[in-house]
Amino acid sequence: MKAAQTAPKRSGFATFPGSPPVLIDRRSLLVGAGALTAASPLFAAGGVAEHGFTHSVASGEPAAGSVLLWTRCVIPGGRAGEVTAEIAEQPDMSGARPAGAQITGPWRDYTVKLTADGLAPDRWYWFRFVAPDGTRSPIGRTRTLPADGTRTWRAAIFSCSNLGYGWFNAYAHAAARDDLDCAVHLGDYFYEYSPDHYPAAKETIPGRLPMPLAETVHLVDYRQRFASYRADPDLQRLHARLPMIAQWDDHESANDSWEGGAQNHDPATEGDWNQRRAASIQAYREWMPVSDEPWKAYDIGALATLFRTETRLLGRTQQPDLDGLFRSADPTAALRAFRDGAWQDPGATMMGWQQESWLDHALAASVRSGRTWQVVGFGTIMGQTDMPADAATWMRGSTDRGSSYVRNGIAAAAVGLPFNVDNWGGYPAARTRFLRQAQALGGNTVLISGDSHNAWAYDLAHDDHAAAVEFAGHSVTSPGFESATSYDPKRIAADLVRTNCELKWCDTARRGYMALTLAADAVRNDWIMVDTILKHTPAATIGHTATVARGRNVMA
């Protein structure tokens, strides 16, 4: 359950026990870092900064013949410097060849991004960088996409990584696997809040309070927050082991962001939203192994096309605000008026019209090409999810905030409204347009989504006919329904599945990641559940598996 669904995240709630927060320190972060020997500073600008390669290496944007390589190299004296890259087909870098060079400096926070071209498809490569003084970065591993064929392809899928709530054991587990081709991050790579706000001080895990000690508003703040998160050894190891396809959601800028603002942005005290948005985008593009393209398609041989989308900052219409309706003199009448009016507005869009058109044409091109699967990554859930009428029983003895959230959800469901209107539930006309197009194309559409902190599996329909399946991922660490209630999570899941015809399974209590397996005849999704996030251990199990066969568009 995304915390914003219960209350503004400025005062988020959860039930993890904890001690008073302490600053994230290098010693605690580097425990177990293994081969990642490069020191990691607490933050990148406006404070302590070390020289050389400060945050290991990463890769992303894989294609059949190229991959993007990333590092950060601080030049002594605040000067500019040229950093070169090498790439090889052997782990020891024997036979390495030049892969490019870039001049970096303080204007880009000393980050380096370049594309290594001329690579063979469907192959592992190893890479490193060389600083102006000849020192070398740690060695990273990456992989190109297949150019043809339909061999099985696997990806680990992550979302919602709040450093203060616990250890990134999901990253550690995925990084230790040998059967993955790629990592996908669907957003909320970090959280923008100041200390004592989601998590509260008493809930923050010792040693995991990121810099800066304030909310991220300006460019220097976003850079520092990235630097703190990227100092985590498990995240470094994941980036050094697998190429990542990444997209942002809201917390890389501010909670519940949209084109013209955010719930967690106050113009009176935090300035112009456009400046904050621009700062967040600049830092993201500096620190992440991503291209500057806001959305993109990745062809995985003749097997599939994976689509990276943008549903927050560039075209999203402002999400509905139901709080005022619940406070009105007649909430039921107000909710009905909203349901029959503004909620149905066809002008409300998650992606913006330019991206909607691009995605329609790109999906069609993938189907025409004969690729079996069209896999679309969205930041938020599309599946219809209403609050059960008897959900009040979940909240006995729970917080007032959680109880209010559930009561409001019950009232919304009574008039046919979902309990979350920050996801696709707030944009029914846009949802209909997407599902109608997917259904008309006759392909095999699989949605992967994040944001909610809980795990879900949906069969999506349009006009009572199958249109797509959706695998929605639980969080790396951010708390879900379990943070607001002590009610049996299995009974909560049963109530939700019974109430929602599209929902086939859910888990509202555990953290982890998804492992997606694309094969010629079927797609399988495993929800990997880590044993704990309260101590540093990669132990995990498969909590649930769902499959969809080619030509079905419903789960088996």
Side-chain angles (χ1 to χ4, degrees):
M1 177 176 55
K2 188 178 179 183
Q5 298 168 353
T6 58
K9 288 191 181 176
R10 292 181 185 273
S11 55
F13 64 98
T15 56
F16 288 137
S19 304
V22 299
L23 296 185
I24 186 169
D25 69 283
R26 186 172 302 106
R27 179 176 298 127
S28 65
L29 279 181
L30 292 180
V31 169
L36 299 181
T37 57
S40 301
L42 302 184
F43 46 87
V48 175
E50 298 180 4
H51 298 152
F53 296 104
T54 62
H55 287 79
S56 192
V57 297
S59 67
E61 302 294 353
S66 65
V67 69
L68 184 150
L69 308 178
W70 180 98
T71 194
R72 181 171 183 267
C73 184
V74 177
I75 313 300
R79 302 190 309 274
E82 184 167 285
V83 178
T84 60
E86 301 174 336
I87 196 161
E89 296 184 27
Q90 300 299 325
D92 63 359
M93 296 299 294
S94 59
R97 63 176 177 82
Q102 184 174 43
I103 298 172
T104 190
W107 63 88
R108 56 180 301 117
D109 206 12
Y110 295 99
T111 58
V112 176
K113 291 198 306 185
L114 54 87
T115 298
D117 279 311
L119 308 181
D122 202 16
R123 185 173 299 179
W124 288 110
Y125 285 92
W126 286 261
F127 65 97
R128 68 186 174 200
F129 292 86
V130 182
D133 64 1
T135 59
R136 293 171 174 173
S137 73
I139 295 173
R141 188 185 73 161
T142 190
R143 188 176 182 89
T144 52
L145 296 179
D148 52 29
T150 58
R151 80 154 179 89
T152 299
W153 188 87
R154 294 182 177 88
I157 302 169
F158 306 93
S159 63
C160 305
S161 313
N162 190 316
L163 191 111
Y165 273 115
W167 293 95
F168 290 163
N169 293 327
Y171 294 150
H173 187 271
R177 295 176 62 157
D178 289 325
D179 62 340
L180 298 171
D181 297 288
C182 189
V184 176
H185 208 293
L186 296 173
D188 294 347
Y189 185 91
F190 71 56
Y191 283 71
E192 82 277 18
Y193 296 110
S194 61
D196 202 22
H197 292 283
Y198 200 69
K202 66 180 181 179
E203 299 158 342
T204 302
I205 299 300
R208 296 187 67 79
L209 179 64
M211 297 295 288
L213 298 181
E215 187 169 310
T216 58
V217 176
H218 307 291
L219 179 58
V220 64
D221 305 328
Y222 286 106
R223 286 172 166 174
Q224 289 180 5
R225 190 59 54 90
F226 266 116
S228 280
Y229 272 68
R230 290 293 292 275
D232 181 274
D234 295 318
L235 181 52
Q236 284 193 9
R237 190 178 299 110
L238 178 71
H239 274 301
R241 288 273 294 170
L242 294 169
M244 180 178 284
I245 296 171
Q247 61 191 60
W248 60 61
D249 191 38
D250 54 342
H251 289 290
E252 291 90 345
S253 55
N255 180 56
D256 288 359
S257 54
W258 58 284
E259 180 183 15
Q263 175 274 329
N264 191 24
H265 179 76
D266 182 358
T269 60
E270 295 172 325
D272 180 66
W273 166 249
N274 290 322
Q275 294 180 10
R276 183 176 185 179
R277 180 178 65 167
S280 71
I281 292 173
Q282 178 177 335
Y284 189 90
R285 289 175 172 167
E286 289 171 348
W287 276 85
M288 295 295 288
V290 296
S291 68
D292 290 348
E293 299 155 287
W295 45 80
K296 192 172 182 178
Y298 307 82
D299 289 330
I300 305 169
L303 180 67
T305 305
L306 173 64
F307 299 90
R308 168 168 63 84
T309 66
E310 195 289 316
T311 57
R312 277 293 176 187
L313 300 179
L314 304 182
R316 180 197 269 246
T317 310
Q318 184 173 14
Q319 53 274 84
D321 180 8
L322 302 188
D323 289 345
L325 305 183
F326 292 122
R327 294 192 298 268
S328 65
D330 188 343
T332 299
L335 289 167
R336 286 174 175 162
F338 167 73
R339 176 199 63 195
D340 298 334
W343 188 54
Q344 304 286 347
D345 187 351
T349 172
M350 285 283 278
M351 296 186 287
W353 292 102
Q354 180 183 355
Q355 186 181 184
E356 278 199 29
S357 176
W358 166 81
L359 186 55
D360 284 350
H361 288 288
L363 284 166
S366 177
V367 174
R368 286 196 306 269
S369 74
R371 290 180 173 85
T372 302
W373 304 101
Q374 290 71 49
V375 182
V376 185
F378 285 133
T380 60
I381 290 174
M382 183 173 285
Q384 181 175 329
T385 320
D386 297 341
M387 188 69 73
D390 55 354
T393 59
W394 305 348
M395 308 309 296
R396 291 170 183 163
S398 299
T399 63
D400 290 341
R401 187 177 297 128
S403 298
S404 175
Y405 165 73
V406 170
R407 286 196 303 270
N408 290 346
I410 293 171
V415 300
L417 292 171
F419 63 76
N420 185 359
V421 290
D422 180 56
N423 66 15
W424 286 87
Y427 304 79
R431 171 193 148 106
T432 296
R433 289 193 296 269
F434 174 83
L435 291 177
R436 182 173 56 219
Q437 166 73 349
Q439 189 181 75
L441 289 173
N444 297 274
T445 305
V446 175
L447 272 58
I448 52 175
S449 55
D451 179 72
S452 76
H453 304 179
N454 298 287
W456 317 80
Y458 298 88
D459 284 338
L460 304 179
H462 173 65
D463 286 343
D464 296 323
H465 296 289
V469 300
E470 180 174 25
F471 303 136
H474 44 329
S475 65
V476 172
T477 59
S478 302
F481 273 95
E482 83 288 348
S483 66
T485 176
S486 58
Y487 196 73
D488 182 357
K490 291 182 179 179
R491 295 182 66 181
I492 291 177
D495 290 346
L496 286 163
V497 171
R498 171 177 45 81
T499 300
N500 295 283
C501 62
E502 290 188 338
L503 180 61
K504 303 307 175 184
W505 170 84
C506 67
D507 182 288
T508 64
R510 293 180 287 179
R511 315 273 69 81
Y513 69 101
M514 298 191 298
L516 185 74
T517 301
L518 303 179
D521 59 347
V523 170
R524 164 179 166 159
N525 192 68
D526 297 328
W527 283 265
I528 309 298
M529 309 297 187
V530 297
D531 286 2
T532 182
I533 61 172
L534 300 181
K535 63 180 181 179
H536 197 189
T537 172
T541 56
I542 298 176
H544 184 71
T545 296
T547 60
V548 55
R550 178 176 183 169
R552 293 281 296 157
N553 280 323
V554 294
M555 283 173 280

